[in-house]
Amino acid sequence: MVGDDRAAGDPVDAVGAVGAVGADDPRARWASWALVVAGCAYLLVLVPGARWFAGDDWFVLADQPITRRDALLEDINGHWILLPRLAFAGLWAGSGLDAYWQFKALAVAVHGAVAVLLRAVMVRGGVRPWPATVALVPFVLLGAGWENMLWPIQVQLTGAIAFGLGQLLLAERPGPLRRLDVTAVAVGTAGALCSGVVLPVTAAVVLAVWLRRGLVPAAVHSLPAVIFAISLLLRDDSALTGGIPSPAVLVSFGVEGLRATATALGYNPLGALVVLLLVGGALVASLGPWGQPDGVRTVRERAARWALPLALLAGSVGFNLLTAPNAPGHDPGVVWAVRYVYVGVALALPAVALGADLLARRIPVVAPALLAFAVLSTLGGVSFLRSADPAPMDPERDRQILAAAIASPLLDDASADVDLFFDPFHLWVDAGFVRVLRDQGKLEPATTPPSAEEEAALRVRLGLDVEPLPLDRAGAEDQAAPADCTPIEVPGRLSPEPGDEFSAVGPLAFVLHTDGIVGDPVPMEWTRRVRIRVEAPDLDLGVTGPGSLCRVPAG
């Protein structure tokens, strides 16, 4: 261009050549907020999923006191969950386990924040306000990602996304370093205190800032990821011990991740194909040479115009690649896990919306079809949400067992580390934690005494110490019984003495026979090998399968 002496690829000039991108419409913005509030109210009140604490919720709640110094430095699978832990501590201090809805409301509220921020990113990234509002609705009711929307501990993932999106919105405006960048980096660093999702989200921020502002601002905005990586190395190196996947494996994870994301929004193969075509259309239309404003010459300048949705799309792919090293057997099927699908969709949604909007601008007649697709996607999400509930969870049973244990005279005689539930869904819920519940009044005791059958089952729960064998550093386990372990026929009957040890693989069920009473069955749902140590006397146990059981010799 004659008289154009700017450096080729200057990111600031490239964006300036585009002109104003990202002006919002107040009516569309208010409509989007109303839709998010309505969707979150629906999730909180009408969707039954995650009706009680489960899994890693107990990792925080049962690790008492929640805010002790060493607990604040603990992580879950490499995720430093300081901010989620503090949020749990605040809710625990109020009502303990008696107001589960408050914990569920925390998960729903953070999901709502992610939705609001995503729309802001879409608009700032070049999607028109009303199409951005329409694209938001399927995400608010994303049934395929229900765990992160309803399960309290999953704020570790949604919190990292929310803080990362906040950093992106604060950092993307063209120009040199400024004081606002300090705030942006601080917001991003808060994501590092939630989970490792900060890594792909920060990578997306860095890419967008590099395209819009250049190398130095991009380097500054990499600090949240650097802080998380350093903290991970200082806290725990076990999360970094997975084998290095081959390039072919990484490609399979990337492809499978895109399929999972597309299916989550499309809910059937045809819908998934539509989503993939929209993403492809966004890439072609935004990076191709046609239809670009005057002065936009290079691929980087074209990418700078649509930096936000494109960078987040790269972050979505990067997130799926990061799951590869520690995936069992490097199986790309792990990207279909509900919690991972949510992350992939959240980061890819702006690119999907961009593709739909660019298509509707070029061919206005398809706009009603795209609106219909968004409606169908939302209805698919609602249908999915109605059946969203972790099958092993039985809230009424859990409350009844804990309430009965609080009031039981057997509680004080039990070892503190004896788990009440013999399954992987209630880790750390042991007799010591139940005594904390009782002493601090964090769960109302049973209003009626347990039946004789329930009391017999409680004797089993407090009388057997069931401990899963540890995994090795690669996440594998030895399923073989000890060589000198004497097999026990199942179904069968046992009369063990305190100190006796057994080795078992579930599922099994234990039933106490006492004084002519047959107690309620106590399931042992570990499907990996466990060690069972008898703690209580006078246990006449019936054992049923289909699992296996053997007696470990004394000494």
Side-chain angles (χ1 to χ4, degrees):
M1 183 181 299
V2 178
D4 185 0
D5 58 356
R6 61 186 173 87
D10 185 320
V12 176
D13 284 346
V15 175
V18 171
V21 174
D24 204 349
D25 181 333
R27 295 172 299 175
R29 183 171 61 247
W30 280 101
S32 70
W33 291 350
L35 290 169
V36 170
V37 170
C40 288
Y42 173 79
L43 294 172
L44 183 60
V45 177
L46 298 178
V47 177
R51 296 171 293 146
W52 181 248
F53 305 101
D56 290 338
D57 290 336
W58 295 116
F59 176 89
V60 178
L61 293 169
D63 190 15
Q64 294 288 329
I66 296 177
T67 56
R68 72 180 191 280
R69 182 175 179 179
D70 58 333
L72 295 177
L73 298 177
E74 290 180 350
D75 59 66
I76 299 178
N77 300 323
H79 299 297
W80 187 14
I81 57 166
L82 177 60
L83 292 186
R85 181 180 288 274
L86 293 177
F88 270 52
L91 296 176
W92 167 270
S95 302
L97 304 187
D98 282 321
Y100 175 75
W101 72 268
Q102 296 179 7
F103 290 86
K104 183 178 177 180
L106 172 66
V108 172
V110 178
H111 166 65
V114 171
V116 170
L117 291 167
L118 269 178
R119 184 191 173 276
V121 166
M122 285 187 251
V123 173
R124 191 81 66 83
V127 182
R128 291 176 297 174
W130 283 108
T133 299
V134 171
L136 183 67
V137 178
F139 177 78
V140 174
L141 299 176
L142 183 70
W146 71 268
E147 282 186 6
N148 291 9
M149 298 151 60
L150 302 172
W151 192 358
I153 193 58
Q154 293 307 105
V155 296
Q156 62 177 307
L157 302 185
T158 54
I161 296 173
F163 286 120
L165 294 176
Q167 180 188 7
L168 178 60
L169 289 168
L170 291 170
E172 61 85 24
R173 292 292 191 188
L177 287 172
R178 46 188 178 263
R179 272 186 278 184
L180 188 60
D181 288 309
V182 176
T183 303
V185 170
V187 170
T189 301
L193 305 182
C194 294
S195 74
V197 174
V198 70
L199 295 176
V201 176
T202 301
V205 173
V206 169
L207 177 58
V209 172
W210 173 69
L211 290 171
R212 287 285 181 93
R213 302 175 58 188
L215 185 59
V216 173
V220 169
H221 282 278
S222 70
L223 284 175
V226 173
I227 291 170
F228 176 84
I230 293 174
S231 71
L232 179 63
L233 292 173
L234 294 177
R235 288 179 289 108
D236 179 19
D237 64 352
S238 64
L240 303 177
T241 56
I244 299 176
S246 67
V249 168
L250 290 175
V251 170
S252 69
F253 270 79
V255 171
E256 202 68 14
L258 287 174
R259 283 188 58 222
T261 295
T263 303
L265 287 171
Y267 287 97
N268 58 59
L270 180 59
L273 178 61
V274 171
V275 173
L276 291 174
L277 289 175
L278 291 176
V279 171
L283 292 174
V284 171
S286 59
L287 299 179
W290 47 85
Q292 300 290 352
D294 293 339
V296 176
R297 301 170 304 187
T298 68
V299 172
R300 180 183 171 187
E301 290 175 331
R302 297 167 199 156
R305 183 185 186 193
W306 314 107
L308 274 62
L310 296 181
L312 286 176
L313 178 62
S316 178
V317 175
F319 169 77
N320 290 309
L321 297 182
L322 284 175
T323 65
N326 288 332
H330 290 163
D331 179 9
V334 300
V335 301
W336 290 84
V338 173
R339 60 189 180 277
Y340 294 161
V341 166
Y342 178 100
V343 178
V345 170
L347 299 184
L349 185 64
V352 176
L354 178 62
D357 188 32
L358 292 178
L359 179 62
R361 294 186 203 187
R362 181 172 292 271
I363 312 175
V365 72
V366 305
L370 293 172
L371 177 60
F373 178 77
V375 171
L376 291 174
S377 178
T378 303
L379 293 177
V382 171
S383 176
F384 206 117
L385 285 169
R386 289 178 176 174
S387 60
D389 202 9
M393 298 299 101
D394 186 339
E396 289 72 25
R397 179 204 65 175
D398 289 2
R399 288 177 181 271
Q400 187 176 12
I401 292 171
L402 290 173
I406 286 173
S408 174
L410 300 172
L411 181 61
D412 288 322
D413 296 329
S415 300
D417 58 355
V418 169
D419 291 335
L420 264 71
F421 300 89
F422 306 156
D423 60 45
F425 313 108
H426 300 83
L427 293 176
W428 307 282
V429 182
D430 53 29
F433 173 61
V434 177
R435 288 198 279 266
V436 171
L437 291 176
R438 179 194 63 190
D439 297 342
Q440 297 186 15
K442 296 301 183 181
L443 181 67
E444 288 292 329
T447 56
T448 57
S451 67
E453 292 78 11
E454 291 170 342
E455 186 68 27
L458 192 58
R459 283 184 58 191
V460 176
R461 293 181 181 277
L462 294 173
L464 297 180
D465 182 10
V466 178
E467 179 183 356
L469 297 184
L471 304 175
D472 64 22
R473 291 175 67 85
E477 55 183 306
D478 183 5
Q479 288 286 345
D484 53 355
C485 199
T486 305
I488 296 173
E489 186 177 353
V490 177
R493 196 82 170 258
L494 294 173
S495 296
E497 298 294 329
D500 286 354
E501 289 193 12
F502 300 85
S503 180
V505 175
L508 295 169
F510 298 97
V511 176
L512 180 65
H513 298 260
T514 177
D515 299 328
I517 297 171
V518 179
D520 290 339
V522 178
M524 199 289 287
E525 300 180 77
W526 284 102
T527 55
R528 55 187 266 205
R529 187 159 294 280
V530 299
R531 177 195 63 82
I532 302 175
R533 178 179 174 84
V534 179
E535 299 282 345
D538 304 323
L539 295 180
D540 181 7
L541 299 173
V543 186
T544 58
S548 62
L549 181 70
C550 64
R551 184 187 295 269
V552 178

